[in-house]
Amino acid sequence: MQYAVLFVFHFVSFIMTGASTFLSKYYGDIGMSPGQIGLLTSVPTLVSLAFMPLIGTWTDRVAHKKYLLAALMACMAAMCFAVGRFRTFFPLIFLVCVYQVFSMSSRPISNTISLEYTDRIHRPYGPVRLLGTVGYQVGALLVGWLLRDSLKGLYPFMGWSVVAALAVAFFLPNIEGHQHASKQKVPMRRLFADRHIATLYVLIFLASITTQFYMAFYSKYMGDIGFTNSQISVITLFSVMAELPFLMFADRIAPKLTVWQWLLVGYVCNGIRWLGLAFARSMWLIVLFQIPGVTVLACFEFFTALYLNHRAAPEQSGLAQMMLSLTIFGAGNIVGSMIGGQIAEFVPTGTIFAFNGVMLLVLAAAQLPVTIRMMREERAEGRSYL
């Protein structure tokens, strides 16, 4: 029964995530400049960085992780309804900062609950996450359909989506924080004492810079080159279709390569993807170049989450997932959105996509020696972490 609840929760909670792909276009529609859009998508993340390690530590110390998750989601919903009432920059960025603290912390907690529970009952995590992708698609399609004429109702729509997910959260499995069970407090620095984990975070950060620039400016860029809200929804739908078959078999695909090799695959595929988006203007050609986007989920999120779930000490499983989310959606977002937004004031977005593509391909070549060394050391340990 609780395994089924995981499916429902991921589906409902990711509807809000799918809707959020329209945020940059929403900000543009209410009069924000590219620089202001960059600040609205990055400064709140910067504020979140101060709180996420603390909330990650709480995750490992609470008696029931789902109640901490529910509290965060209740605050998220309240902020969504508040943000939707404002159209000027300063009150908007303040409220979005508060919202983002709760939003960025909730996802890794739900991932921790799902990973630990599926590991405990020996069931695959991939199909659970698959329902998240379906929810993402539904969210994007609903926004494109319901708000096709105006995005003014975007934040209230997101708020009601979070309320629905909050209702399901109370039925999630009871996963106890390992530090609560052992009555021992493990210092945060111990997580980073593992050189492999520290290196993984660095490589994920470098890859995430380009992805977060894309997330911040994707919908606005599509609008700038002539696509309507409905067309953007269709592009988004087809863009994530490849995630569905992947997630169905992801738990079996993961051990085919090491996490270090999967990172290389992600670097190369997304380098090609950004170069394609920089020059494509046909809707279906853009969809074609979006297909390698499955590697963002696979190589930078899914496989790394599995790796950390087995590599990190159980007492720091929540913190490990929180730091992964912080690296991808926090530090990567700050550089990709904030700096990218300032550059986009003077440089065409398509040109930035092309630069990002070249940069990722160069980084892939530079990462090869690191990949070889890490694989050699883990073979010597005699253990696979995927």
Side-chain angles (χ1 to χ4, degrees), residues 9-203:
F9 179 81
H10 275 71
F11 172 77
V12 177
S13 64
F14 269 82
I15 290 176
M16 184 274 293
T17 307
S20 68
T21 60
F22 285 84
L23 281 176
S24 63
K25 192 171 189 302
Y26 166 79
Y27 293 141
D29 287 354
I30 63 173
M32 301 296 111
S33 69
Q36 289 175 318
I37 294 172
L39 291 173
L40 281 164
T41 54
S42 58
V43 170
T45 304
L46 180 62
V47 173
S48 300
L49 295 182
F51 294 90
M52 289 182 70
L54 176 62
I55 297 175
T57 300
W58 287 350
T59 305
D60 292 316
R61 295 178 180 174
V62 296
H64 300 291
K65 296 180 182 181
K66 69 178 182 182
Y67 294 125
L68 175 59
L69 173 63
L72 293 173
M73 297 193 78
C75 295
M76 281 174 61
M79 286 300 103
C80 281
F81 294 125
V83 170
R85 295 175 175 271
F86 292 89
R87 297 289 184 273
T88 54
F89 179 73
F90 288 106
L92 195 62
I93 196 168
F94 172 77
L95 290 171
V96 173
C97 282
V98 179
Y99 161 80
Q100 194 76 340
V101 170
F102 305 121
S103 176
M104 287 194 60
S105 301
S106 64
R107 181 69 64 203
I109 296 177
S110 66
N111 288 344
T112 302
I113 293 171
S114 301
L115 284 164
E116 291 195 39
Y117 185 71
T118 53
D119 205 36
R120 176 189 299 175
I121 64 174
H122 306 291
R123 300 293 291 274
Y125 169 62
V128 173
R129 181 59 181 77
L130 184 151
L131 263 292
T133 296
V134 175
Y136 180 96
Q137 293 172 331
V138 169
L141 286 172
L142 283 175
V143 170
W145 176 52
L146 296 174
L147 306 178
R148 58 185 177 274
D149 297 323
S150 172
L151 289 173
K152 290 183 178 179
L154 181 61
Y155 265 106
F157 175 87
M158 291 166 58
W160 285 115
S161 301
V162 176
V163 169
L166 170 62
V168 180
F170 289 101
F171 299 94
L172 289 169
N174 283 319
I175 302 296
E176 186 178 15
H178 291 280
Q179 292 184 41
H180 181 272
S182 65
K183 307 299 182 184
Q184 293 181 343
K185 294 184 178 181
V186 180
M188 188 185 306
R189 64 178 180 276
R190 187 174 298 178
L191 179 68
F192 303 99
D194 187 325
R195 186 166 55 86
H196 286 230
I197 290 179
T199 301
L200 180 72
Y201 287 139
V202 171
L203 295 177

Side-chain angles (χ1 to χ4, degrees), residues 156-381:
F157 175 87
M158 291 166 58
W160 285 115
S161 301
V162 176
V163 169
L166 170 62
V168 180
F170 289 101
F171 299 94
L172 289 169
N174 283 319
I175 302 296
E176 186 178 15
H178 291 280
Q179 292 184 41
H180 181 272
S182 65
K183 307 299 182 184
Q184 293 181 343
K185 294 184 178 181
V186 180
M188 188 185 306
R189 64 178 180 276
R190 187 174 298 178
L191 179 68
F192 303 99
D194 187 325
R195 186 166 55 86
H196 286 230
I197 290 179
T199 301
L200 180 72
Y201 287 139
V202 171
L203 295 177
I204 291 294
F205 165 69
L206 294 174
S208 298
I209 293 172
T210 62
T211 302
Q212 292 308 313
F213 175 81
Y214 162 82
M215 293 299 293
F217 290 94
Y218 154 71
S219 59
K220 184 177 186 302
Y221 175 63
M222 292 291 104
D224 289 345
I225 61 177
F227 294 104
T228 65
N229 290 346
S230 297
Q231 288 175 318
I232 295 171
S233 292
V234 173
I235 293 171
T236 302
L237 171 66
F238 282 99
S239 298
V240 298
M241 284 290 287
E243 293 183 3
L244 300 180
F246 162 75
L247 287 167
M248 183 60 66
F249 304 103
D251 294 85
R252 281 179 267 177
I253 295 172
K256 301 296 182 183
L257 298 175
T258 68
V259 71
W260 310 104
Q261 290 170 314
W262 284 123
L263 286 176
L264 276 178
V265 171
Y267 271 63
V268 172
C269 287
N270 281 282
I272 295 171
R273 180 188 179 195
W274 304 142
L275 287 169
L277 287 181
F279 300 105
R281 291 297 180 269
S282 160
M283 176 174 170
W284 296 111
L285 189 57
I286 289 174
V287 169
L288 178 64
F289 280 113
Q290 286 284 62
I291 291 175
V294 68
T295 58
V296 171
L297 167 67
C299 303
F300 305 143
E301 296 180 46
F302 190 91
F303 294 144
T304 52
L306 289 179
Y307 177 86
L308 289 168
N309 192 50
H310 294 109
R311 177 92 193 185
E315 292 79 11
Q316 293 190 304
S317 60
L319 177 62
Q321 299 299 331
M322 188 69 70
M323 295 307 298
L324 176 63
S325 183
L326 185 151
T327 302
I328 297 173
F329 304 108
N333 183 284
I334 290 169
V335 178
S337 297
M338 181 185 290
I339 298 179
Q342 299 307 310
I343 294 174
E345 293 272 10
F346 308 100
V347 179
T349 304
T351 302
I352 299 175
F353 274 128
F355 173 81
N356 288 346
V358 173
M359 184 181 74
L360 277 190
L361 294 176
V362 171
L363 286 173
Q367 184 190 326
L368 189 57
V370 177
T371 297
I372 295 171
R373 184 173 67 254
M374 293 298 174
M375 288 172 56
R376 185 187 303 120
E377 292 176 1
E378 290 182 2
R379 277 198 301 267
E381 294 172 3

